[in-house]
């Protein structure tokens, strides 16, 4: 096992321990796993995410997730997880990613269009136009 991989394994274990002890957090990371140069995890309410590890760990990493989510973050895997959670807590991100996740799970027959037709989205535009006047 290389020195970089050993550091990653130790950081992953520290992250798992920290996640267990912070069960009261608003966003929960589950299924934190490392497999051949990538770390995958699940964030409740958002979905699956994958971090591709750099050749030199710690370093710059890219995280990919649902609805074209992409985040570049430098540091250890713990820094990256904190960055993802911080980004997901931003109001605009919550609306976009959650709406996409709900659309894909709630609209089996008609697709995303049915989800948005059934939502209150149709009434939002006229309200915003009136507010702008």
């Amino acid at each position: 096992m290389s020195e970089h991989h050993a550091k990653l394994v130790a950081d992953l274990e520290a992250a798992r321990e920290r996640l267990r002890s912070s069960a009261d957090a608003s966003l929960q990371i589950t299924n934190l796993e490392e497999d051949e140069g990538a770390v995958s995890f699940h964030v409740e309410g958002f979905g699956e995410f994958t971090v591709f590890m750099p050749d030199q760990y710690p370093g710059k990493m890219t995280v990919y997730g649902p609805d074209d989510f992409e985040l570049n973050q430098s540091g250890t895997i713990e820094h990256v997880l904190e960055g993802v959670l911080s980004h997901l807590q931003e109001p605009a991100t919550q609306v976009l990613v959650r709406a996409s996740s709900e659309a894909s799970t709630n609209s089996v027959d008609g697709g995303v269009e049915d989800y948005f037709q059934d939502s209150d989205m149709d009434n939002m535009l006229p309200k915003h136009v009136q507010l702008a006047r």
Side-chain angles (χ1 to χ4, degrees):
M1 180 182 306
S2 74
E3 181 181 328
H4 298 292
H5 190 257
K7 170 86 172 122
L8 171 61
V9 170
D11 288 351
L12 278 171
E13 191 52 43
R16 284 186 191 103
E17 187 59 39
R18 190 165 170 208
L19 291 170
R20 278 184 230 126
S21 65
S22 65
D24 61 336
S26 61
L27 293 176
Q28 293 293 314
I29 291 179
T30 58
N31 303 332
L32 182 59
E33 300 295 328
E34 186 258 338
D35 185 33
E36 295 185 29
V39 172
S40 63
F41 59 94
H42 181 89
V43 178
E44 293 299 321
F46 289 96
E48 295 292 323
F49 293 81
T50 303
V51 181
F52 290 98
M53 306 311 293
D55 292 334
Q56 296 295 318
Y57 177 84
K60 186 175 180 181
M61 294 171 248
T62 303
V63 182
Y64 297 97
D67 195 36
D68 297 329
F69 178 94
E70 184 175 331
L71 180 68
N72 291 307
Q73 185 85 29
S74 293
T76 66
I77 191 65
E78 289 185 271
H79 291 122
V80 171
L81 295 173
E82 288 171 8
V84 169
L85 292 178
S86 177
H87 189 74
L88 292 176
Q89 289 174 336
E90 294 174 5
T93 304
Q94 287 185 5
V95 170
L96 291 174
V97 176
R98 285 182 193 239
S100 174
S101 296
E102 289 173 7
S104 64
T105 58
N106 290 340
S107 59
V108 175
D109 296 327
V112 173
E113 294 80 13
D114 285 349
Y115 171 77
F116 286 109
Q117 287 174 354
D118 293 342
S119 72
D120 199 29
M121 296 285 282
D122 293 332
N123 297 324
M124 292 175 97
L125 182 59
K127 288 178 190 176
H128 289 291
V129 169
Q130 292 229 329
L131 286 172
R133 289 183 184 165

